[in-house]
Amino acid sequence: MGKKNRLLGNIRARYQKKRKSKKWKHRKLSKVREKKRKASYERLLRRYEKIRRDQARKEYYLQRSKTPIALKAPADFSLINNTDEILEYWENVGSELQKKENVFVDIDHIESLTSDAVALMIAYINNSDFMNDSIIVGRAPRKRNLAKIFTQSGFYKYVFSQGKFDISNGEILHKETNNKVVPEIAVSSFLVGAEHTFGKDIPFDGLYEILIECMSNTHNHASLNRKDKCKWWIYTHPDDHKVTCYSFLDLGVGIFESMRTKGFFTKVLKTVGIYKNIDFVTDLLDGKIQSRMEKDRKIRGKGIPEIVKHSKNDLFRTFILITNDVKIDLKTGECQQLGHNFSGTFFYWEIKPHT
Amino acid sequence: METISIAKDFSKNPGARYGDDGDFSGELFYKELLLPAFERAINSKQKLTIDLNGIYGFPSSFVSESFGKLSIEKGANNVISVLVFISDENPIRAEKAIAEIKSPIKDEQ
C-alpha cells in the first residue's frame, strides 16, 4: 500500500513539476490563444457574412427600385417559327441586364406563342449569368389562349419559386439541377407524350433514345471547361390536337463552339473566317465532328447521328435543331444561317398520331 | 445457359455512356453484368442470352459502352458466337447491338 502511494506521489510530483516548466505553460497558453483566435475569426466571418447579406439586400432593393426598361417582344413569339427575331429580342434583353438595367418583358400584345418560346424564356430567367443580378418583370399575354399556354407550363412556379419539377395538367417542365442524364425524366416525358398522342404507352424506342442522347449531349459538350457544368431544360407540352411538343435546351456554348474538327487546316480556316459553322452541318449530322472530350474519341459521337436517324421517322412531325448561328431542319436536312447567335443547343420536335 | 434481362436485372430505362453521365449507364451494365456473365459463358463454353424486352429504349451511347466495349475487349467474332439476343418487342434493338459488336469503332462504320 505504502509502495503504491509512494509511486502515485512520485507521478503527481513529476506532473506538478512539469506544469511549472516553461514548455508546458507555453503549450497550454498557445492552446488558449488558438481557441481565442478561432473564436475571433468566426466572429469576424459572421460579421462579414452579415455585411455581405445586408449589402446584397441593399443592392437588391436598389435594383428593384430602378424602373424597368420595357422591351416589346415580337408579335410572333415563337423560337421555331420566328428564330432570328426571337434571338435578337433575347440578345437585347441580355444586353440590358448586363448593364444592370431591369427589363420589362412586354409580351402583352403578342399574336402567337409556342411552347418552345416559353421553355427558352424560363431557361433564361433562371440563368444567373444571363440575369446578372438584375430583374425581369412581365405579365402573361392578353390573348386568353396564349395566357393559358403560360399558366399551364408552370411558368409562374418556375420563375417565382424556383421549383425543380412540376407537372401541370399533364405537362412536364423540368430543370435538371444535377446536370446529369436522368433516365427517369426521359421516361416521364416519354409517357406524357405517348399517352397524349397515341393514347397508350406504346413501345417507341426513338423518343426515349432521343431524350437520353439530348441529355448526354448537354452533359458532355455544353461546357468548354468542365463536364456536367451546364443545366438542361425539358418542356413536354401536349397540345389540343393530339400532338406533343418537346423542347430540350441548354444555355451552354453550343455544338459548333464545342466542336473540334479533325484537320488542322479546317480549324485554321474556320478561325480566320473562311469557313462558317453552317459549312460543318453535314459533318455534324454524320457524327464526324469531334467534341473537345478526349476520352474514347474513336467510339464516341454516336448521339447526334442517332437523333438524326430517328428524326426521319414519320411519327415526328417536326424536328429542329438550333445551335450557335445555325438552324437545321433534321427531317429535311435544310439549314438556315441565322443572323443572331444562340449560345446553347435547342432541340424541338413534335410527335403526332399514326395516320 | 445464362440469361441477362436488361429490364429485370438492370433497368427498364437504360441511360447514357459513363457512370458519371448519370444512372444506369452502359459502363455500369458492362462492368457489373455483361462482362462477368460473358466470361462465365466462355469458361463454361455456353451461350449467353441477352433479353432486350421490357426496356423503354436502347440508346446508342449505352450500346456502344456495353456491347461495343465488349467487342473491342474480346473480339467481335467471339462475342457474336457467344451472345444470343431476344428482342420480340422490337427487333431493331437486337440489330443495333449486333451492328455495334461488328463495328464498335466509329471510323470503321
Side-chain angles (χ1 to χ4, degrees):
Chain A
M1 193 65 183
K3 199 178 175 184
K4 197 177 174 185
N5 279 342
R6 261 203 313 278
L7 196 68
L8 281 172
N10 282 343
I11 291 171
R12 198 175 297 122
R14 270 208 305 273
Y15 180 63
Q16 276 167 357
K17 196 181 167 190
K18 198 176 168 185
R19 286 186 64 179
K20 280 175 192 161
S21 73
K22 268 189 180 177
K23 197 176 164 187
W24 192 93
K25 279 180 186 166
H26 178 73
R27 203 177 70 232
K28 282 290 172 190
L29 212 61
S30 25
K31 270 188 186 170
V32 172
R33 277 188 196 137
E34 182 64 25
K35 220 174 173 179
K36 275 186 183 169
R37 232 192 339 259
K38 263 189 190 167
S40 144
Y41 176 71
E42 275 164 16
R43 263 200 311 277
L44 255 171
L45 212 63
R46 275 200 299 273
R47 201 179 304 159
Y48 170 74
E49 271 300 308
K50 192 177 174 302
I51 293 169
R52 204 184 56 79
R53 266 201 314 272
D54 288 349
Q55 203 170 341
R57 201 176 299 135
K58 256 187 214 164
E59 276 172 17
Y60 175 71
Y61 284 116
L62 198 70
Q63 188 67 35
R64 259 184 73 146
S65 65
K66 277 188 185 174
T67 313
I69 295 170
L71 292 178
K72 203 168 179 180
D76 181 6
F77 205 61
S78 164
L79 177 69
I80 296 307
N81 303 327
N82 190 20
T83 312
D84 255 328
E85 272 195 63
I86 295 295
L87 291 180
E88 186 183 8
Y89 180 72
W90 284 109
E91 211 173 272
N92 293 339
V93 172
S95 104
E96 292 302 336
L97 295 173
Q98 293 309 307
K99 286 187 254 166
K100 283 278 178 197
E101 296 291 349
N102 295 336
V103 176
F104 175 73
V105 173
D106 184 3
I107 52 169
D108 202 42
H109 61 286
I110 58 172
E111 294 294 323
S112 60
L113 171 71
T114 49
S115 56
D116 50 272
V118 179
L120 181 67
M121 191 176 200
I122 295 170
Y124 273 136
I125 293 175
N126 279 273
N127 184 295
S128 54
D129 290 342
F130 181 78
M131 291 301 292
N132 191 31
D133 291 331
S134 301
I135 293 162
I136 282 185
V137 289
R139 55 171 174 260
R142 208 179 309 140
K143 279 195 168 179
R144 202 172 285 177
N145 58 330
L146 306 186
K148 191 178 149 198
I149 296 178
F150 251 74
T151 28
Q152 276 186 348
S153 70
F155 178 86
Y156 295 109
K157 195 169 182 176
Y158 259 83
V159 171
F160 298 114
S161 70
Q162 306 276 312
K164 189 177 175 256
F165 189 41
D166 179 40
I167 298 177
S168 138
N169 298 334
E171 306 201 14
I172 287 187
L173 180 59
H174 182 84
K175 172 178 75 168
E176 180 42 41
T177 46
N178 293 326
N179 319 313
K180 300 244 176 193
V181 175
V182 189
E184 291 83 359
I185 303 297
V187 171
S188 309
S189 181
F190 166 87
L191 290 174
V192 167
E195 277 161 20
H196 176 71
T197 300
F198 309 117
K200 56 183 176 177
D201 163 19
I202 59 150
F204 186 8
D205 289 23
L207 179 55
Y208 175 80
E209 288 164 12
I210 285 167
L211 289 161
I212 294 289
E213 297 303 347
C214 285
M215 293 176 194
S216 180
N217 182 61
T218 296
H219 176 68
N220 292 308
H221 309 300
S223 166
L224 288 182
N225 312 319
R226 194 169 69 83
K227 250 175 110 174
D228 74 23
K229 203 187 159 203
C230 192
K231 291 181 175 67
W232 53 258
W233 291 82
I234 182 165
Y235 180 28
T236 312
H237 170 71
D239 80 354
D240 297 335
H241 304 96
K242 291 257 170 210
V243 170
T244 308
C245 312
Y246 287 85
S247 301
F248 186 98
L249 76 143
D250 67 63
L251 298 177
V253 294
I255 297 178
F256 290 107
E257 194 57 39
S258 79
M259 76 188 192
R260 180 169 174 165
T261 47
K262 280 177 188 167
F264 172 74
F265 285 107
T266 28
K267 249 197 297 183
V268 173
L269 290 171
K270 187 173 175 286
T271 314
V272 296
I274 296 170
Y275 276 84
K276 290 177 180 166
N277 286 335
I278 203 165
D279 299 324
F280 293 88
V281 168
T282 314
D283 285 348
L284 169 73
L285 302 185
D286 291 345
K288 286 179 186 160
I289 286 179
Q290 303 293 309
S291 83
R292 289 171 186 250
M293 310 297 294
E294 294 294 333
K295 194 178 171 191
D296 290 343
R297 183 165 283 175
K298 277 189 172 177
I299 60 169
R300 295 173 61 133
K302 294 175 182 178
I304 301 273
E306 171 145 279
I307 294 173
V308 175
K309 189 187 81 192
H310 287 312
S311 71
K312 312 290 183 202
N313 188 323
D314 286 342
L315 294 175
F316 292 104
R317 192 169 71 168
T318 309
F319 216 120
I320 304 289
L321 164 61
I322 298 168
T323 186
N324 300 122
D325 57 355
V326 181
K327 177 180 177 183
I328 311 165
D329 183 332
L330 296 183
K331 283 197 84 70
T332 62
E334 279 174 39
C335 349
Q336 184 191 335
Q337 171 72 53
L338 299 171
H340 296 271
N341 184 62
F342 173 58
S343 181
T345 304
F346 199 116
F347 284 99
Y348 175 82
W349 67 90
E350 295 171 359
I351 54 169
K352 60 175 179 114
H354 295 275
T355 44
Chain B
M1 184 166 72
E2 196 174 343
T3 298
I4 298 176
S5 161
I6 296 186
K8 289 177 192 156
D9 302 326
F10 187 65
S11 171
K12 278 176 144 190
N13 29 277
R17 184 178 292 276
Y18 301 118
D20 68 358
D21 289 343
D23 293 339
F24 309 123
S25 65
E27 183 180 39
L28 185 71
F29 174 70
Y30 173 73
K31 283 184 182 163
E32 302 277 315
L33 287 176
L34 186 59
L35 182 63
F38 182 83
E39 281 171 349
R40 282 195 298 274
I42 288 278
N43 292 339
S44 58
K45 292 185 178 147
Q46 286 201 325
K47 297 270 187 192
L48 171 63
T49 305
I50 308 290
D51 185 350
L52 301 173
N53 291 322
I55 52 179
Y56 281 102
F58 206 30
S60 284
S61 40
F62 178 91
V63 180
S64 169
E65 195 57 29
S66 51
F67 295 99
K69 203 93 179 199
L70 186 69
S71 169
I72 292 168
E73 294 291 323
K74 305 289 177 186
N77 291 338
N78 278 343
V79 176
I80 292 281
S81 66
V82 172
L83 298 191
V84 176
F85 290 97
I86 301 175
S87 181
D88 309 320
E89 279 174 6
N90 187 351
I92 292 170
R93 291 175 192 160
E95 288 167 19
K96 196 171 181 177
I98 292 166
E100 187 64 41
I101 293 165
K102 284 183 179 167
S103 66
I105 307 288
K106 203 173 61 176
D107 292 344
E108 289 175 3
Q109 285 179 328

